[in-house]
Amino acid sequence: MPDREPRPRTPAAEAVRRVRPRRPTEVTLFSGVYGLVMAGAMAAALDSPGEAPDPGSDALWVLLTAVASAAAHGYAHVVAHRASSGGRGARAGLRAMAAEWPVVAAAAPTVVLLLFAVPPLWREETAVDTALVLNALLLTGWGVWTAWSAGRGRGACLRAGAADLVIGLVIILANAVIK
């Protein structure tokens, strides 16, 4: 069978190809959203009224939870793959766990904000509130970016961003109601 020649690109198609970002992998999308939601929920849960503020400890807990979640999720992929196909060894397992790095990367802004909560300059409560708002905005941007990279139009991109924003707002609302 002869090789097919690639279709010539129109100038408009070439311009859209240059504007659209590279499409993220499914693991990156899942892990990024999961990491943002997990970091916000952890920060909100660790910030208890009436308790002595300890932002360094809270930042460490958020980071350790992100690392443990990434490792557990990667290991779950290994176990599921092993059960369905007979397994492939320790190296493949370590690669699967390392592929979950977006969980830890997504938690990084929350960790950094908590580390900068040094009294009297900035209170831990303010750092947690800022982290929750930032995570909601990052979720919104994540939704818009993924829809845009998938070739969706402006309306679909805005709807995707709004849907992701709702997740962040639910965490903020839960934090307000629980506190």
Side-chain angles (χ1 to χ4, degrees):
M1 195 166 185
D3 289 335
R4 297 174 79 180
E5 289 186 37
R7 278 193 277 169
R9 294 184 188 253
T10 65
E14 190 62 30
V16 168
R17 187 188 67 76
R18 282 191 303 260
V19 171
R20 298 236 189 252
R22 186 175 56 95
R23 196 166 183 184
T25 66
E26 188 175 329
V27 170
T28 302
L29 294 173
F30 174 86
S31 298
V33 170
Y34 182 80
L36 284 170
V37 171
M38 183 270 316
M42 281 295 298
L46 290 170
D47 181 37
S48 299
E51 209 176 84
D54 191 1
S57 175
D58 290 352
L60 183 60
W61 273 110
V62 171
L63 181 61
L64 289 175
T65 302
V67 170
S69 295
H73 192 260
Y75 185 69
H77 279 293
V78 171
V79 170
H81 182 71
R82 188 181 310 141
S84 66
S85 68
R88 292 194 341 217
R91 188 172 291 161
L94 290 173
R95 276 195 308 268
M97 286 186 259
E100 297 296 328
W101 66 266
V103 172
V104 180
T110 301
V111 171
V112 169
L113 286 170
L114 286 170
L115 288 175
F116 279 109
V118 179
L121 302 173
W122 207 19
R123 295 181 15 225
E124 181 182 12
E125 181 181 321
T126 306
V128 170
D129 292 345
T130 303
L132 293 176
V133 170
L134 177 63
N135 287 350
L137 293 174
L138 288 171
L139 281 167
T140 303
W142 197 249
V144 169
W145 175 60
T146 56
W148 179 253
S149 67
R152 305 286 192 258
R154 284 189 183 138
C157 291
L158 292 174
R159 285 189 299 276
D164 284 3
L165 175 63
V166 168
I167 297 169
L169 294 176
V170 165
I171 295 170
I172 292 170
L173 181 64
N175 184 49
V177 168
I178 291 170
K179 307 278 169 128

